Amino acid sequence: MDIQTKPSLYSFSMPGLQDYLQERGFPKFSAKQIFNWLYQNWEPNPENWTNISKKLKVHIAEEMDLTLPKVVWHGLSKDGTRKFLIGMKDQQTVETVAIPARDRLTLCVSSQVGCAIGCTFCHTGTMGLKRHLEPSEIVGQFMAVSHFLKKEVGDSERLTNIVYMGQGEPLHNFDNVKTATEIFLEPNGLGLSQRKVTLSTSGLVPQIKKLWDFPPVNIAISLHAAHNDIRTELMPINKAFDLERLFGAIKEIPLKAHRRITYEYILIRDFNDRQEDVDGLLNLLDKKESKINIIPFNDYPGSRFKKPSDKTIKWFMNSLNEGGCVTTVRTTKGDDILAACGQLKSMEDKLNLWE
Ligand code: SAH
Ligand code: SF4
């Protein structure tokens, strides 16, 4: 069988693998054992799976794809942020960033190669969409980076959190991102807690309405403006799904007790950093169920927007806090290696990776 048509073992959720095995006459309980080998014992080679039958090992070796994405380039920022270029089987690449903070090491994963949404402030948005990533390629970013850290750095750096804030719009690739998230959360899989996974979306209203059918992870909405005209200028998606429709859908998100939705707000100099923007946000958001995360705009070569001053960032944050909305500022990390938000774009053309 051609390798491209074999299903990847890393693309199965636990229930998915149980069904797959049962349909082929293998015991359902083997799914748990396989997950243990792959995600907990870090043993990718079926030959070493001592509690799996010979017949099933042969099936897996012959009928399933076991390849994982690979780290093809790595850069270390002076603040400890690491950027990885991850290569897929078809030689497409995505970027993944590991960001240290206090006792956490957060992996910012990509969900697509490029992105179809085309936000005007986003470097990835200028690429257009090349393709969706498979669950194995999303989970594979975590696996590839974990293997790299284990080998090159040792046990001092282990990934603890995941944010879907790399390339791509995760809700545009709903089913694959859902399966990948199930594997991240699966106790026999990567075993992360729901609180350690955050999905960020630009506001795809029909998919937000489907979040009842998604594991209950943290949700972040890329808001960036409190007025439709400004938001449309930043995010063309606002033409189809404007603020009224967006907030109509957000009301339907099933929130676990004590959980708030995070609103990401890129602060851009002389654009969305005025008093009327503060007022607009305070009017728009439910203060008990929201928190705002200000992201000072990150410049990248050729961008038409500018970074705000530190004084404006502080004023904007304080005004929102004084108005009753919990607001923080995301510290910019990794900008010396173009790993900060919105600076991710394939470097493939700059590096001759495949030669
Ligand atoms: N597509 C999803 C998730 C990936 S983008 C989304 O848009 O939510 C992750 C975050 O980085 C988003 O809040 C996005 O708006 C922000 N971002 C993109 N470009 C940026 C830039 N140039 N400066 C600062 N933040 C940026
Ligand atoms: Fe896509 Fe998010 Fe960038 Fe917008 S900000 S173009 S949705 S990756």
Side-chain angles (χ1 to χ4, degrees), residues 115-119 121-126 166-169 202 222 224 235:
C115 183
I117 307 292
C119 302
F121 53 81
C122 175
H123 211 189
T124 306
T126 62
Q167 288 175 16
E169 166 50 52
S202 58
S222 290
H224 308 324
M235 312 175 76

Side-chain angles (χ1 to χ4, degrees), residues 60 135 202-203 206 269 289 295:
I60 290 170
S202 58
R269 176 182 294 227
E289 289 193 348
I295 314 170

Side-chain angles (χ1 to χ4, degrees), residues 18-37:
Q18 287 172 333
D19 289 350
Y20 176 93
L21 293 177
Q22 255 183 337
E23 280 161 20
R24 285 158 186 80
F26 295 109
K28 190 174 157 187
F29 62 76
S30 295
K32 265 191 189 159
Q33 296 169 323
I34 293 172
F35 262 63
N36 277 319
W37 285 118

Side-chain angles (χ1 to χ4, degrees), residues 1-161:
M1 203 193 262
D2 172 27
I3 192 159
Q4 298 294 341
T5 61
K6 292 181 184 179
S8 169
L9 188 55
Y10 292 93
S11 278
F12 283 93
S13 65
M14 174 65 79
L17 188 58
Q18 287 172 333
D19 289 350
Y20 176 93
L21 293 177
Q22 255 183 337
E23 280 161 20
R24 285 158 186 80
F26 295 109
K28 190 174 157 187
F29 62 76
S30 295
K32 265 191 189 159
Q33 296 169 323
I34 293 172
F35 262 63
N36 277 319
W37 285 118
L38 294 178
Y39 301 111
Q40 303 203 325
N41 299 328
W42 298 90
E43 178 49 77
N45 183 357
E47 278 175 26
N48 300 328
W49 299 351
T50 46
N51 54 0
I52 302 288
S53 72
K54 181 96 206 335
K55 202 169 144 232
L56 179 51
K57 285 197 261 198
V58 170
H59 174 88
I60 290 170
E62 288 180 356
E63 306 292 334
M64 302 186 93
D65 181 10
L66 292 168
T67 51
L68 276 173
K70 293 186 177 49
V71 171
V72 290
W73 178 86
H74 158 256
L76 176 61
S77 157
K78 50 184 187 310
D79 63 24
T81 301
R82 294 179 189 274
K83 173 164 157 176
F84 299 89
L85 193 61
I86 308 277
M88 311 293 157
K89 259 191 330 216
D90 62 354
Q91 305 198 347
Q92 295 279 7
T93 57
V94 292
E95 293 172 5
T96 306
V97 184
I99 309 154
R102 293 187 302 274
D103 52 345
R104 294 194 304 252
L105 183 59
T106 302
L107 192 69
C108 177
V109 294
S110 294
S111 54
Q112 298 176 314
V113 185
C115 183
I117 307 292
C119 302
T120 53
F121 53 81
C122 175
H123 211 189
T124 306
T126 62
M127 291 171 72
L129 177 66
K130 293 203 178 141
R131 69 171 175 84
H132 292 309
L133 292 181
E134 297 296 321
S136 61
E137 296 172 323
I138 300 171
V139 172
Q141 294 167 58
F142 188 99
M143 304 292 281
V145 170
S146 295
H147 278 302
F148 175 95
L149 293 175
K150 213 170 170 184
K151 214 170 107 217
E152 305 291 328
V153 188
D155 274 341
S156 58
E157 289 188 31
R158 284 181 69 169
L159 300 173
T160 60
N161 292 55

Side-chain angles (χ1 to χ4, degrees), residues 121 164-166 168-169 200-201 222 224 264 266 295 297-298 341-342:
F121 53 81
Y164 283 101
M165 295 187 189
E169 166 50 52
S200 172
T201 177
S222 290
H224 308 324
E264 296 163 277
I266 296 184
I295 314 170
F297 177 71
N298 289 316
C341 296

